[in-house]
């Protein structure tokens, strides 16, 4: 927790989250940079008072742009997301309670700010910053158990905005913040000097894997047809094909496959390869776990469904996958390499087990004859 000298007797004053919020509320628009830094360094400080509730009620929900502009609201989402990243169940529960206080006005504000369409004809949006911040917050608060339907609810059923939001978070892969660092300590005749420093924070692996699983739902028929008969009439096959055509156009324009491939490689294979090199044994390999396989299969399903269900630009899409992306070297080949190694390992174990069984039977047979 930060401390400061008061102006009187030199007594230390604890700069709690509540104290810093009170100080920040004096600025217009409110500047929350110090609270963002605190949420990254000491997120547990936000669990001891009503600071999070006030951030939502006084800043996120306010209709005054003079009090809270877009950057202020993004900072609020960032602070809450940092607190929700704590592994404590109590922290996530408290953040979920705070999220329940988000007003309908702010939901409309998000859509108004993020749903500004480009004029190139494919219906893509500008950078959905607020939706990305909210998605990051919800994913952490609900312990990385969001469903595709939850993301669609966040975007009011706009599948294109939802996909762009997920891809945007994956593309970033990290957040940046400005932290205050002391450059010079106070001394006789000199005052302390502080400076702002840009700090990078990588997204956690569970978040990346969850986003990959969510992507699959945007091209899965079950997301569109949740029954038979009446549902099929309400949402026709032609409309489903039109949605797939729109998603494929976005995939081509924004290089979705490229971003997914690079993000998943950095999250899974790059770290594994680095750890294997540090081990110094060329035969040492690390196996993928079940969640890794689930994420990769989800991305593969998304890629295939776009090709299977779209009715236009499929040839351009196929050429794009093979020639214009890093899908093969960054996702397909590393994954196949891991699977082949795992298969060989299982075969060796099976052969060893069979030899052990055969040896045991031979010994039993020899004893019987004796």
């Amino acid at each position: 927790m930060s401390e400061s000298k008061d102006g009187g007797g030199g007594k230390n004053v604890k700069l709690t989250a509540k104290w810093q919020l009170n100080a920040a509320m004096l600025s217009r628009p409110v500047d929350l940079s110090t609270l963002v830094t605190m949420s990254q360094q000491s997120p547990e400080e936000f669990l001891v008072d009503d600071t999070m509730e006030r951030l939502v009620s006084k800043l996120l929900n306010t209709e005054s742009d003079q009090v809270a502009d877009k950057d202020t609201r993004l900072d609020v989402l960032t602070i809450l997301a940092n607190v929700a990243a704590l592994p404590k169940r109590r922290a996530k529960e408290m953040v979920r309670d705070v999220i329940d206080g988000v007003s309908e006005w702010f939901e409309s504000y998000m859509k108004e700010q993020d749903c500004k369409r480009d004029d190139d004809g494919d219906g893509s949006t500008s950078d959905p910053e607020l939706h990305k911040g909210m998605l990051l917050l919800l994913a952490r608060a609900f312990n990385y158990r969001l469903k595709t339907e939850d993301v669609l609810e966040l975007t009011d059923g706009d599948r294109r905005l939802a996909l762009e939001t997920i891809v945007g978070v994956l593309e970033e892969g990290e957040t940046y913040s400005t932290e205050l660092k002391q450059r010079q300590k106070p001394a006789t005749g000199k005052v302390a000097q502080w400076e702002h420093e840009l700090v990078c924070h990588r997204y956690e692996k569970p978040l990346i894997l969850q986003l990959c699983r969510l992507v699959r739902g945007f091209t899965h028929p079950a997301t569109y047809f949740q029954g038979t008969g009446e549902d099929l009439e309400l949402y026709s096959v032609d409309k489903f094909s039109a949605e797939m055509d729109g998603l494929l156009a976005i995939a081509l324009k924004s290089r979705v496959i490229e971003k997914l491939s690079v993000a998943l490689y950095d999250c899974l294979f790059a770290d594994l390869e680095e750890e294997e090199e540090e081990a110094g044994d060329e035969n040492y390999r690390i196996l993928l776990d079940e969640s890794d396989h689930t994420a990769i299969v989800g991305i593969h399903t998304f890629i295939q469904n776009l090709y299977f269900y779209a009715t236009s630009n499929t040839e351009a899409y196929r050429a794009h996958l093979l020639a214009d992306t890093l899908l093969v070297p960054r996702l397909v080949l590393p994954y196949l390499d891991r699977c082949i190694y795992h298969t060989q390992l299982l075969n060796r174990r099976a052969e060893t087990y069979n030899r052990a069984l055969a040896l045991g039977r031979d010994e039993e047979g020899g004893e019987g004859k004796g």
Side-chain angles (χ1 to χ4, degrees):
M1 183 183 298
S2 301
E3 293 187 352
S4 176
K5 299 284 188 179
D6 66 11
K11 184 179 179 181
N12 287 335
V13 178
K14 292 184 177 180
L15 303 184
T16 63
K18 187 173 185 178
W19 188 97
Q20 295 199 41
L21 177 58
N22 290 336
M25 292 293 290
L26 300 176
S27 59
R28 289 294 182 271
V30 175
D31 181 5
L32 297 176
S33 57
T34 57
L35 281 166
V36 171
T37 299
M38 174 177 278
S39 70
Q40 292 164 340
Q41 297 178 344
S42 305
E44 62 279 354
E45 296 294 334
F46 291 83
L47 305 177
V48 299
D49 51 42
D50 63 344
T51 300
M52 291 193 295
E53 288 83 354
R54 293 177 61 205
L55 285 171
V56 172
S57 62
K58 301 294 185 182
L59 298 177
L60 201 66
N61 291 340
T62 182
E63 299 183 20
S64 173
D65 287 335
Q66 293 182 346
V67 175
D69 59 7
K70 183 178 179 180
D71 289 336
T72 302
R73 302 178 205 274
L74 285 171
D75 285 343
V76 172
L77 296 177
T78 300
I79 292 169
L80 296 178
N82 290 337
V83 177
L86 285 169
K88 301 177 182 178
R89 177 182 298 181
R90 173 172 168 266
K92 298 183 184 298
E93 291 176 349
M94 291 181 65
V95 172
R96 289 198 294 267
D97 291 340
V98 170
I99 295 174
D100 288 339
V102 175
S103 66
E104 294 182 0
W105 176 87
F106 178 71
E107 295 175 0
S108 301
Y109 175 85
M110 279 201 308
K111 189 172 183 179
E112 177 186 350
Q113 292 292 318
D114 287 352
C115 291
K116 298 175 181 177
R117 300 289 178 180
D118 293 335
D119 297 328
D120 51 14
D122 70 349
S124 60
T125 65
S126 57
D127 186 19
E129 294 179 296
L130 290 168
H131 281 86
K132 289 192 297 185
M134 182 61 78
L135 175 59
L136 180 62
L137 167 58
L138 292 174
R140 289 173 173 172
F142 288 91
N143 204 24
Y144 314 105
R145 295 176 181 174
L146 291 182
K147 298 180 180 180
T148 304
E149 292 83 346
D150 300 323
V151 184
L152 291 173
E153 182 179 355
L154 173 65
T155 60
D156 197 22
D158 190 331
R159 290 174 174 81
R160 297 180 182 182
L161 174 60
L163 179 60
E164 289 172 349
T165 299
I166 294 178
V167 172
V169 177
L170 280 170
E171 182 182 11
E172 292 172 354
E174 57 196 16
T175 56
Y176 293 91
S177 65
T178 302
E179 296 184 359
L180 282 173
K181 297 290 185 179
Q182 189 177 45
R183 189 176 65 179
Q184 176 179 296
K185 295 183 178 180
T188 304
K190 296 182 179 180
V191 297
Q193 293 185 2
W194 299 78
E195 63 182 4
H196 289 280
E197 181 178 283
L198 191 64
V199 180
C200 172
H201 303 271
R202 293 284 300 175
Y203 286 151
E204 60 274 23
K205 180 178 177 179
L207 174 64
I208 300 295
L209 298 181
Q210 149 125 100
L211 295 174
C212 291
R213 292 192 296 267
L214 287 174
V215 168
R216 170 182 174 270
F218 290 101
T219 59
H220 198 282
T223 306
Y224 299 82
F225 307 114
Q226 298 181 356
T228 58
E230 183 179 354
D231 288 341
L232 290 176
E233 295 177 2
L234 292 175
Y235 204 104
S236 67
V237 175
D238 291 339
K239 190 172 182 180
F240 171 72
S241 298
E243 288 284 353
M244 294 300 102
D245 291 341
L247 290 173
L248 190 145
I250 293 175
L252 290 173
K253 176 180 180 296
S254 58
R255 302 183 64 83
V256 170
I257 308 303
E258 175 92 356
K259 296 167 185 176
L260 291 174
S261 302
V262 173
L264 206 55
Y265 175 82
D266 291 341
C267 178
L268 297 181
F269 305 113
D271 292 340
L272 295 182
E273 291 172 359
E274 182 178 352
E275 185 175 343
E276 290 166 354
E277 290 180 2
E278 293 177 353
D281 184 357
E282 61 180 11
N283 295 321
Y284 174 69
R285 303 295 294 276
I286 302 175
L287 301 179
L288 300 176
D289 58 33
E290 183 178 355
S291 62
D292 298 334
H293 289 289
T294 302
I296 295 173
V297 170
I299 297 302
H300 286 171
T301 303
F302 171 79
I303 295 171
Q304 292 180 21
N305 286 350
L306 273 182
Y307 182 77
F308 289 153
Y309 299 134
T311 60
S312 62
N313 292 327
T314 53
E315 291 302 316
Y317 176 63
R318 183 170 65 175
H320 170 72
L321 292 179
L322 296 176
D324 299 333
T325 72
L326 293 174
L327 173 66
V328 173
R330 281 292 179 266
L331 190 57
V332 176
L333 293 181
Y335 182 61
L336 289 178
D337 181 59
R338 298 281 164 179
C339 291
I340 291 172
Y341 173 77
H342 198 174
T343 302
Q344 292 173 340
L345 178 62
L346 293 176
N347 286 336
R348 289 195 296 269
R349 289 178 179 175
E351 292 172 358
T352 302
Y353 181 69
N354 289 333
R355 286 196 297 268
L357 289 179
L359 181 61
R361 287 194 296 267
D362 291 342
E363 291 178 352
E364 291 177 359
E367 292 177 357
K369 292 179 180 180

